[in-house]
Amino acid sequence: MCRAKDNFYTTVWYNPKKRDSLGSAARQREESMLIVYGSRYGHAKRYAEEFARRTGGEAVSYKELRSAEEETVVCFGGAYAGGIKGLARVVRRLNAAKVSLFLVATVGLSDPSDEKTAQDLRRAVLAAVPAPLRQKLRLFHLRGGID
């Protein structure tokens, strides 16, 4: 488990007892939760499905998402060529006024402890997330795999 130098990304997966994990961030709330993923090779999908299993939710593909009124949104997206799979489409479907917490977990082979990599991932996420949602945003990075 490592943390980027600028504390922008956390690679902690699911530990509801650890304060800075993805699981604890989502479980601290008693609100409706949407778990959505964008995956090309299946790693983001597997993380989303496991997260859904542990939280009692359901994971849906960004392609199936029509509109969202949930208060907590957890988005797992593969990091590919300067973008996060499905993230732009997800934010277009959200009711930003209703969202109180927006968790984005990028999934890829890049190492977020490298400062340049963390900056590139941050740029990719912020390019897709409009200003009203940025104040509600927490970012995480999970390691992908090689098929």
Side-chain angles (χ1 to χ4, degrees), residues 60-121:
V60 297
S61 169
Y62 78 98
K63 295 175 183 176
E64 299 169 13
L65 188 63
R66 299 293 170 241
S67 65
E69 297 290 323
E70 285 80 4
E71 297 156 306
T72 299
V73 177
V74 184
C75 181
F76 294 84
Y80 307 109
I84 309 304
K85 183 85 169 165
L87 183 59
R89 187 168 177 177
V90 169
V91 297
R92 284 194 308 268
R93 305 262 190 276
L94 295 179
N95 180 345
K98 280 204 163 190
V99 174
S100 62
L101 179 63
F102 186 37
L103 303 174
V104 174
T106 60
V107 179
L109 291 176
S110 54
D111 181 6
S113 64
D114 175 70
E115 195 170 328
K116 182 177 178 344
T117 301
Q119 288 173 358
D120 291 343
L121 289 168

